[in-house]
């Protein structure tokens, strides 16, 4: 789902067009992706088309036809023309519509307003014995698209089918008691929507399930709804008596309820218990292969049979699911829970393995899994390159992992490496800096936006390398 709120700007730039090329790129042969070096060669030679804007916060429509510059409005990418002076616009997921927050939803390319959206932040006062106890806030006119871009929800109004602007779910009569009473949630396949009144079928607006003034949430894949009475399978309406702070395994085979148990979703059967937990908010972390889970204050489990592997739930799994790092304990091989290395560091949200699972970044070091050697005296801000050859640290530098040699210094936070690991992008105080790995050369204000499509940005200027835009 795409949630829009006032002042939201998304600065993702995708495939655009160009008219000039690096000397070795021929338009008639432009069938393969460009490389980062292709873009830098074009940049240095001045072989690109540019679109000048007045700011760095930019959004390209998903169909790659329009550009929204927050300070200016909407540009047509084919010729760079400014076609609408919108000041707070967001595109629908399919690029067929654009929202001017506080005004309405417009269809493209006609730029005709088809659904009005009057944005309003309202106060909701809560009284006890005629005295104001507290005040909450809710937003009318907030806009949310379904993932497929076919439907839109306008808070305090209803759910519309965009192709014919028909209101298929009316929420205008809802009593506004808190912000949740205005919420609308689409499921992942855009077949249903949940409101405080119940779960509706989007194809015709039919009420599928009443949820009794309870806002139901959908499972990540959209096939189940979580209500106060249990989990409803949308395909056949079967309800399972599973209630609470539920999470689902990524493969959607099991429902996990900490402090209660693990349930098989195919038939709702409870497979085994999970002990009561002490924390107010439980959290479950799953291995990439869906075979293991760590449940807050419960421990580490093998999912299929509930075998408890460790008392600690303070863990991070390797990307290949071969190893698990358990904070202040060690690194284990998951297949037999053989301890490979001792680990005294605390595992937190910044702890992570490299993409190949060979290195582990923890709070105070990077650990080489093969020999247990600590390579650096820092790790919390580590960013590994996609090819697993380099690591970059915020406000420090880029290092080669094989010998820990510092290649060059950087100032600012690491935004990320290019997909081919040939460049690293750094962001600091509203300024971008691009560094070339092989020699440390820096390119102030330059950043890659879509390498394969040939798009860069130099500050607030969009640079386009590649064939002409259709």
């Amino acid at each position: 789902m795409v949630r829009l709120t006032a002042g939201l700007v998304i600065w993702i730039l995708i495939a655009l067009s160009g008219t000039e090329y690096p000397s070795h790129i021929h338009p008639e042969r432009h069938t393969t992706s460009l490389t980062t070096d292709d873009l830098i060669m074009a940049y240095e030679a001045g072989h690109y088309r540019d679109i000048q804007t007045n700011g760095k916060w930019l959004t390209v429509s998903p169909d790659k036809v329009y550009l929204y510059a927050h300070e200016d409005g909407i540009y047509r990418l084919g010729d760079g023309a400014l076609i609408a002076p919108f000041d707070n616009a967001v595109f629908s997921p399919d690029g067929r519509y654009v929202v001017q927050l506080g005004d309405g939803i417009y269809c493209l390319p006609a730029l005709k307003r088809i659904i009005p959206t009057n944005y309003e932040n309202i106060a909701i006062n809560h009284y006890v014995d005629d005295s104001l106890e507290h005040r909450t806030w809710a937003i009318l006119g907030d806009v949310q698209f379904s993932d497929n871009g076919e439907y839109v929800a306008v808070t305090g109004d209803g759910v519309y089918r965009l192709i014919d602007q028909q209101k298929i779910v009316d929420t205008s009569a809802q009593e506004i008691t808190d912000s949740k009473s205005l919420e609308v949630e689409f499921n992942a396949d855009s077949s249903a929507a949940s409101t405080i009144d119940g779960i509706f079928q989007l194809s015709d607006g039919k009420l599928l399930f009443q949820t009794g003034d309870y806002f139901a949430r959908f499972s990540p894949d959209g096939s189940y709804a979580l209500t106060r009475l249990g989990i409803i399978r949308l395909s056949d309406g079967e309800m399972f008596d599973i209630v609470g702070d539920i999470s689902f395994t990524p493969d959607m085979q099991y429902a996990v309820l900490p402090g209660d148990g693990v349930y098989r979703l195919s038939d709702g059967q409870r497979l085994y218990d999970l002990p009561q937990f002490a924390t107010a908010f439980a959290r479950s972390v799953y291995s990439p292969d869906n075979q293991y889970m760590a449940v807050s204050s419960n421990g580490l489990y093998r999912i299929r049979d509930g075998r408890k592997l460790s008392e600690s739930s303070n863990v991070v799994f390797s990307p290949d699911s071969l190893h698990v790092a358990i904070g202040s304990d060690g690194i284990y091989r998951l297949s037999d829970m053989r301890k490979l290395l001792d680990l005294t560091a605390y595992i937190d949200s910044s702890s992570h393995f490299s993409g190949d699972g060979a290195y582990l970044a923890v709070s105070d070091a990077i650990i080489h899994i093969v020999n247990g050697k600590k390579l650096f005296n820092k790790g919390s801000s580590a960013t590994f390159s996609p090819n697993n050859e380099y690591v970059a640290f915020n406000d420090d530098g880029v290092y080669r992992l094989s010998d820990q040699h510092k290649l060059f210094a950087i100032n600012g936070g690491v935004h990320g490496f290019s997909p081919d690991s040939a460049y690293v992008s750094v962001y600091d105080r509203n300024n971008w800096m691009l560094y070339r790995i092989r020699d440390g050369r820096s390119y102030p204000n330059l950043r890659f936006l879509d390498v394969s499509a040939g798009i860069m940005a130099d500050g607030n200027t969009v640079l386009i390398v590649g064939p002409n835009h259709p």
Side-chain angles (χ1 to χ4, degrees):
M1 291 171 290
V2 178
R3 169 71 69 178
L4 315 179
T5 55
L8 172 68
V9 288
I10 308 171
W11 38 279
I12 303 172
L13 289 178
I14 322 177
L16 309 178
S17 59
T19 54
E20 297 190 32
Y21 310 87
S23 59
H24 67 292
I25 298 176
H26 302 282
E28 67 275 11
R29 300 176 185 173
H30 187 61
T31 57
T32 60
S33 297
L34 299 173
T35 68
T36 52
D37 282 334
D38 289 335
L39 269 65
I40 292 300
M41 288 174 60
Y43 173 73
E44 292 177 339
H47 293 161
Y48 53 79
R49 180 167 66 88
D50 64 76
I51 298 177
Q52 298 285 340
T53 73
N54 288 314
K56 299 178 182 179
W57 305 110
L58 308 163
T59 307
V60 169
S61 62
D63 58 2
K64 308 170 188 177
V65 177
Y66 302 97
L67 167 72
Y68 168 59
H70 182 59
E71 292 80 1
D72 303 339
I74 297 176
Y75 291 86
R76 187 170 51 232
L77 295 175
D79 57 9
L82 180 65
I83 63 172
F86 284 7
D87 60 5
N88 210 339
V90 183
F91 295 105
S92 64
D94 58 5
R96 299 175 61 188
Y97 305 91
V98 62
V99 178
Q100 167 73 335
L101 293 180
D103 178 15
I105 301 170
Y106 290 74
C107 65
L108 293 166
L111 276 175
K112 175 184 177 182
R113 191 174 76 164
I114 57 175
I115 300 171
T117 59
N118 298 314
Y119 191 92
E120 182 181 358
N121 196 7
I122 61 173
I124 304 171
N125 296 326
H126 299 266
Y127 294 91
V128 175
D129 298 329
D130 296 327
S131 298
L132 179 63
E133 183 182 52
H134 65 276
R135 176 179 292 134
T136 58
W137 299 89
I139 298 173
L140 297 176
D142 191 14
V143 175
Q144 178 183 345
F145 288 103
S146 62
D147 282 347
N148 65 2
E150 295 182 7
Y151 304 93
V152 66
V154 182
T155 55
D157 183 5
V159 178
Y160 291 83
R161 185 169 51 227
L162 283 163
I163 193 169
D164 57 8
Q165 299 91 59
Q166 291 297 307
K167 184 188 286 190
I168 55 177
V169 179
D170 191 349
T171 63
S172 60
Q174 290 173 345
E175 181 183 2
I176 304 175
T177 57
D178 54 32
S179 59
K180 184 173 291 187
S181 63
L182 289 173
E183 287 190 52
V184 176
E185 179 177 314
F186 294 106
N187 69 343
D189 65 3
S190 303
S191 64
S194 173
T195 76
I196 200 70
D197 294 328
I199 299 172
F200 294 84
Q201 183 170 277
L202 286 173
S203 60
D204 55 10
K206 177 184 177 182
L207 177 64
L208 297 176
F209 309 103
Q210 290 184 325
T211 53
D213 295 328
Y214 178 84
F215 184 79
R217 299 288 184 182
F218 293 110
S219 62
D221 71 340
S223 59
Y224 295 87
L226 287 71
T227 76
R228 70 172 68 200
L229 300 177
I231 298 178
I232 299 174
R233 186 163 55 207
L234 298 184
S235 61
D236 56 13
E238 185 169 358
M239 177 177 284
F240 303 117
D241 185 19
I242 312 172
V243 182
D245 187 14
I246 297 166
S247 68
F248 296 91
T249 57
D251 59 3
M252 290 304 301
Q253 298 299 305
Y254 306 97
V256 178
L257 184 54
D260 181 349
V262 173
Y263 296 79
R264 187 169 55 213
L265 283 169
S266 60
D267 56 9
Q269 181 179 345
R270 181 174 176 159
L271 301 180
Y272 51 87
D273 295 339
L274 288 176
Q276 291 293 323
F277 54 92
T279 56
F281 300 98
R283 186 175 67 97
S284 299
V285 178
Y286 300 98
S287 62
D289 65 357
N290 299 297
Q291 299 301 308
Y292 305 91
M293 66 179 178
V295 183
S296 296
S297 298
N298 276 338
L300 174 65
Y301 293 84
R302 188 166 60 194
I303 296 174
R304 69 174 183 269
D305 57 9
R307 180 188 173 191
K308 194 169 189 176
L309 306 177
S310 169
E311 291 293 332
S312 176
S313 60
N314 187 28
V315 310
V316 59
F317 295 102
S318 64
D320 53 14
S321 298
L322 294 179
H323 303 112
V324 61
I326 301 176
S328 303
D329 182 357
I331 298 174
Y332 290 79
R333 187 169 60 199
L334 274 166
S335 60
D336 56 7
M337 286 304 291
R338 178 186 174 187
K339 191 173 186 178
L340 305 178
L341 302 169
D342 287 325
L343 184 64
T344 59
Y346 180 76
I347 297 294
D348 58 22
S349 58
S350 67
S351 304
H352 60 286
F353 282 89
S354 58
D356 60 359
Y359 302 91
L360 172 67
V362 292
S363 56
D364 62 351
I366 290 180
I367 300 171
H368 195 187
I369 305 302
V370 173
N371 54 27
K373 182 180 179 182
K374 289 188 175 182
L375 303 183
F376 302 91
N377 294 322
K378 49 186 172 288
S380 59
S381 71
T383 300
F384 294 108
S385 62
N387 65 2
N388 305 297
E389 293 182 8
Y390 310 104
V391 63
F393 296 99
N394 296 343
D395 294 304
D396 183 346
V398 176
Y399 294 77
R400 190 166 50 227
L401 280 164
S402 60
D403 58 6
Q404 300 87 62
H405 174 67
K406 188 173 185 176
L407 303 179
F408 51 86
I410 59 174
N411 294 313
V414 178
H415 185 258
F417 286 86
S418 60
D420 60 2
S421 302
Y423 295 82
V424 66
S425 182
V426 175
Y427 185 73
D428 182 47
R429 297 181 181 87
N430 296 320
N431 294 311
W432 292 89
M433 182 74 76
L434 189 68
Y435 294 87
R436 187 161 56 197
I437 300 298
R438 69 172 181 263
D439 56 9
R441 178 172 177 179
S442 62
Y443 297 86
N445 299 316
L446 192 67
R447 64 190 190 274
F448 295 128
L449 300 170
D450 190 309
V451 172
S452 63
I455 306 303
M456 300 175 287
D458 184 350
N460 60 350
T461 302
V462 179
L463 310 178
I464 306 162
V465 179
N468 290 326
H469 194 277

